[in-house]
């Protein structure tokens, strides 16, 4: 998969909305909330053009019964995919368009972390600009190496997450 970071697109919120409606239908009464997260949820932020969606459910294991419905929407069901307590789905093999990260409502650590980073970047333009510039630089340096790209932003992201969580606690 080619790593591409692009300027913010005003189409991303509508893409999230359309997909979230279909996801909400699949998850039904198990769904507590659904959020647009990740870089495409931050107006003005450069990003890989992949919509990240975070549904929060009452029962995470009940999600597995809906794998066929997600597959019919074009998703690949990846299970926990390296993060215990999560269900991860991705759409678009070589040209990924969407990723779903489902957490159980009891998993406040991961839910809070994702929302804190999103909200922090939405309200701290300097951090958003620095993050976007770093991602664009890494995409140029590692266009075919997702591990190199991720490793290159790891320290920045971890520090930003810590700062975002501290900020969220007082706001």
């Amino acid at each position: 998969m080619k790593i591409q970071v692009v300027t913010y697109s005003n189409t991303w919120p509508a893409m999230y909305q359309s997909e979230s409606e279909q996801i909400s239908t699949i998850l039904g009464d198990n769904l507590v909330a659904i959020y647009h997260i990740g870089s495409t949820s931050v107006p003005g932020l450069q990003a890989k053009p992949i919509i990240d969606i975070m549904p929060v459910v009452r029962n995470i294991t009940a999600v597995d019964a809906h794998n066929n419905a997600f597959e019919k929407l074009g998703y690949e069901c990846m299970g926990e995919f390296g993060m215990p307590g999560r269900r991860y789905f991705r759409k678009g093999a070589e040209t990924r368009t969407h990723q779903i990260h489902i957490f159980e409502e009891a998993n406040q650590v991961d839910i809070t972390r994702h929302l804190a980073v999103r909200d922090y970047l939405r309200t701290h333009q300097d951090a958003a600009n620095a993050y976007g510039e770093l991602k664009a630089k890494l995409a140029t340096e590692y266009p075919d190496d997702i591990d190199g790209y991720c490793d290159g932003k790891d320290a920045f992201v971890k520090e930003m997450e810590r700062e975002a969580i501290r900020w969220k606690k007082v706001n």
Side-chain angles (χ1 to χ4, degrees):
M1 183 172 81
K2 183 99 170 141
I3 300 165
Q4 183 182 23
V5 172
V6 300
T7 58
Y8 179 81
S9 172
N10 290 325
T11 64
W12 292 341
M15 290 172 66
Y16 157 75
Q17 187 61 43
S18 174
E19 206 73 8
S20 70
E21 289 169 7
Q22 295 179 79
I23 294 165
S24 297
T25 299
I26 291 171
L27 295 174
D29 291 340
N30 193 24
L31 184 67
V32 175
I34 190 164
Y35 302 97
H36 187 184
I37 61 168
S39 296
T40 61
S41 71
V42 180
L45 180 59
Q46 295 180 78
K48 291 185 295 178
I50 302 168
I51 308 301
D52 285 288
I53 301 169
M54 185 178 69
V56 176
V57 297
R58 290 175 179 78
N59 182 331
I60 194 70
T61 58
V63 172
D64 299 334
H66 301 291
N67 284 349
N68 286 339
F70 282 107
E71 287 172 354
K72 286 179 183 173
L73 286 182
Y75 284 94
E76 181 181 5
C77 307
M78 304 297 294
E80 290 184 329
F81 201 62
M83 187 179 291
R86 171 181 74 163
R87 294 299 183 273
Y88 174 70
F89 302 82
R90 60 189 183 192
K91 187 178 202 176
E94 283 303 309
T95 306
R96 183 134 341 121
T97 60
H98 296 79
Q99 300 180 131
I100 304 172
H101 313 264
I102 304 178
F103 295 102
E104 189 169 88
E105 64 184 330
N107 185 349
Q108 286 300 305
V109 170
D110 286 315
I111 295 166
T112 299
R113 176 175 58 88
H114 284 290
L115 295 177
V117 168
R118 180 199 67 187
D119 295 346
Y120 181 80
L121 289 171
R122 284 179 173 176
T123 57
H124 292 80
Q125 192 63 50
D126 55 336
N129 290 341
Y131 186 40
E133 290 168 11
L134 174 62
K135 290 190 307 174
K137 175 181 169 281
L138 292 169
T140 300
E141 289 178 18
Y142 302 100
D144 300 304
D145 179 5
I146 191 64
D147 292 330
Y149 173 82
C150 290
D151 290 347
K153 65 180 192 155
D154 187 61
F156 184 96
V157 169
K158 285 180 179 169
E159 179 55 34
M160 181 178 54
E161 283 180 354
R162 284 190 289 273
E163 183 60 31
I165 291 167
R166 281 193 296 269
W167 170 80
K168 191 72 169 176
K169 286 180 181 175
V170 297
N171 289 294

